[in-house]
């Protein structure tokens, strides 16, 4: 049972981490965001699944 | 400028904005979430500990078909929402920032401009949907039992045409509005209205494209594709093409003013 949980949940955790890392890389790369950058860092890291999504949709300019 | 040039430029843009990474990942998480929570619900409730002594909770375990439908219905709501917001600025943002004039100062045909953008976005969405549904299918088969892979793949292909319709609705609003937010709002509003109309008159308009996911659900139970699924998908394709033609027309007209 525990094995099954780890086998199924672990890939999702990894995907979520990739999402966070990609959002942070993008945040570092862009010149401007809507609103201060440090707020976006908090949103991306602590915003759960919604955090990076909201950043990609609303955060980046242009 | 050729059609392929615009298509390649769009694909490059999607890469630059990391859409090729985050959209598939988000779709996968959507597709997997519900079947997973449904499976672990008894354990979650047990460990939550608020159950009074001696009470037994009997939640019927969903069947394979039901679990697979959960993946689809999650994409039906959140997936559509994501699809709309990532394409809301496809043309409208270029209209408002002036990039559009820059592109059209070169010999570009309106039809090429629209269809190339549409196809590029459709490529991204189709790949994301297929990857997400295959992952969802894998989780469902591990947790709930066997489901034929060909059945899943067939349903996924039908399902892509539903997204094609959604995207062509977004394209129409894109072609005459300059505010991406307004485009997203009106597109979602249109989808909600179409859904409402369909659910009120679902005995009369059995060919409504909004019923595609419902018919896919029955396909999982019966194992046979109903003719209604072909009809509603056919209608989805026809309406999409008409809407694309309409958005080319609207964009042309806007240029003349």
């Amino acid at each position: 049972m525990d094995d099954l949980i780890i086998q199924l949940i672990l890939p999702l955790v990894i995907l979520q981490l990739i999402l966070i890392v990609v959002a942070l890389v993008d945040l570092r790369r862009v010149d401007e965001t809507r609103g201060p950058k440090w707020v976006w860092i908090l949103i991306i890291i602590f915003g759960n699944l919604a955090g990076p999504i909201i950043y990609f949709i609303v955060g980046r300019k242009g | 400028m050729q059609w392929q040039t615009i298509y390649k430029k769009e694909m490059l843009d999607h890469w630059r904005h990391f859409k090729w990474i985050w959209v598939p990942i988000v779709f996968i998480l959507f597709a997997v979430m519900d079947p997973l929570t449904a499976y672990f619900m008894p354990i979650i409730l047990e460990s939550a500990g608020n159950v009074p002594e001696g009470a037994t909770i009997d939640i019927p375990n969903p069947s394979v078909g039901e679990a697979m439908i959960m993946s689809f219905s999650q994409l039906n709501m959140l997936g559509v929402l994501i699809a709309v917001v990532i394409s809301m600025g496809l043309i409208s943002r270029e209209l408002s920032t002036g990039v559009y004039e820059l592109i059209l100062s070169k010999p570009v045909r309106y039809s090429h401009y629209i269809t190339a953008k549409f196809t590029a976005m459709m490529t991204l969405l189709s790949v994301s949907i297929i990857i997400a549904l295959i992952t969802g299918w894998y989780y469902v088969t591990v947790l709930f039992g066997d489901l034929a892979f060909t059945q899943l793949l067939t349903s996924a292909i039908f399902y892509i045409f539903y997204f094609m319709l959604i995207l062509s609705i977004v394209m129409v609003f894109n072609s005459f509005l300059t505010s991406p937010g307004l485009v997203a709002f009106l597109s979602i509003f249109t989808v909600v209205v179409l859904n409402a109309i369909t659910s009120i008159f679902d005995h009369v308009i059995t060919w409504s494209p909004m019923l595609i996911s419902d018919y896919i659900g029955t396909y999982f139970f019966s194992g046979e594709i109903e003719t209604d699924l072909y009809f509603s998908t056919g209608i989805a394709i026809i309406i999409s093409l008409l809407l694309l033609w309409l958005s080319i027309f609207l964009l042309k007209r806007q240029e003349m003013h």
Side-chain angles (χ1 to χ4, degrees):
Chain A
M1 192 66 204
D2 281 345
D3 267 5
L4 185 69
I5 294 180
I6 292 167
Q7 271 172 28
L8 292 177
I9 307 282
L10 193 65
L12 301 183
V13 175
I14 293 171
L15 282 183
Q16 171 114 32
L17 284 178
I18 295 174
L19 208 57
I20 291 173
V21 170
V22 171
L24 288 175
V25 169
D26 189 72
L27 183 68
R28 218 187 119 81
R29 227 180 36 166
V30 295
D31 302 326
E32 266 189 292
T33 50
R34 261 178 258 269
K37 276 199 177 187
W38 64 271
V39 176
W40 282 114
I41 295 177
L42 295 182
I43 293 175
I44 290 168
I45 294 176
F46 299 107
N48 229 330
L49 173 59
I53 300 178
I54 293 172
Y55 166 70
F56 279 120
I57 292 168
V58 190
R60 53 188 351 275
K61 263 185 182 169
Chain B
M1 212 173 353
Q2 292 294 313
W3 188 89
Q4 277 148 342
T5 322
I6 310 177
Y7 180 77
K8 274 181 196 151
K9 178 224 153 221
E10 280 299 304
M11 293 298 254
L12 194 68
D13 262 12
H14 293 333
W15 273 115
R16 282 214 193 100
H17 293 181
F18 292 120
K19 277 186 196 142
W20 275 103
I21 301 173
W22 75 264
V23 178
I25 291 182
V26 168
F27 274 35
I28 287 172
L29 293 175
F30 285 161
V32 166
M33 219 179 314
D34 260 21
L36 206 60
T37 17
Y39 182 80
F40 288 118
M41 196 42 102
I43 302 169
I44 294 167
L45 284 180
E46 230 169 73
S47 56
N50 285 329
V51 187
E53 198 69 31
T56 50
I57 310 164
D58 230 10
I59 306 166
N61 227 1
S63 68
V64 194
E66 280 169 331
M68 198 63 241
I69 291 166
M70 285 177 185
S71 284
F72 277 91
S73 61
Q74 200 67 263
L75 284 179
N76 230 8
M77 300 205 318
L78 299 169
V80 166
L81 200 65
I82 297 280
V84 169
V85 291
I86 59 172
S87 42
M88 63 183 178
L90 225 47
I91 297 169
S92 60
R93 190 169 290 130
E94 296 197 344
L95 283 174
S96 62
T97 54
V99 178
Y100 172 73
E101 274 88 2
L102 202 73
I103 291 172
L104 285 200
S105 64
K106 301 184 177 84
V108 179
R109 294 177 64 175
Y110 295 96
S111 51
H112 285 182
Y113 180 75
I114 291 217
T115 51
K117 273 175 174 286
F118 177 85
T119 315
M121 184 52 84
M122 214 46 226
T123 315
L124 170 67
L125 287 176
S126 312
V127 171
S128 306
I129 291 167
I130 298 261
I131 293 175
L133 285 175
I134 289 175
T135 319
W137 169 83
Y138 173 74
Y139 273 72
V140 166
T141 47
V142 167
L143 295 173
F144 298 97
D146 281 338
L147 186 78
F149 182 65
T150 46
Q151 209 173 354
L152 180 270
L153 216 54
T154 318
S155 322
I157 290 165
F158 278 112
Y159 196 55
I160 284 172
F161 290 107
Y162 174 66
F163 271 74
M164 181 176 162
L165 177 67
I166 305 283
L167 186 58
S168 58
I169 292 173
V170 183
M171 290 307 273
V172 169
F173 289 119
N174 252 308
S175 62
F176 67 95
L177 295 170
T178 49
S179 152
L182 195 60
V183 171
F185 173 77
L186 288 175
S187 308
I188 289 168
F189 183 75
T190 310
V191 174
V192 169
V193 168
L194 288 177
N195 263 318
I197 293 173
T198 303
S199 59
I200 295 169
F201 300 108
D202 61 349
H203 294 290
V204 193
I205 36 176
T206 50
W207 41 264
S208 167
M210 298 292 147
L211 292 171
I212 288 179
S213 61
D214 292 27
Y215 293 138
I216 287 173
T218 42
Y219 173 46
F220 283 132
F221 285 110
S222 67
E224 276 168 47
I225 302 175
E226 284 179 82
T227 41
D228 280 336
L229 183 55
Y230 288 115
F231 269 121
S232 48
T233 309
I235 296 286
I237 296 171
I238 292 169
I239 296 178
S240 305
L241 294 177
L242 285 176
L243 288 177
L244 274 182
W245 177 81
L246 177 68
S247 41
I248 295 168
F249 172 77
L250 286 171
L251 195 67
K252 251 185 211 166
R253 213 186 62 147
Q254 184 170 30
E255 185 67 2
M256 286 168 192
H257 284 294

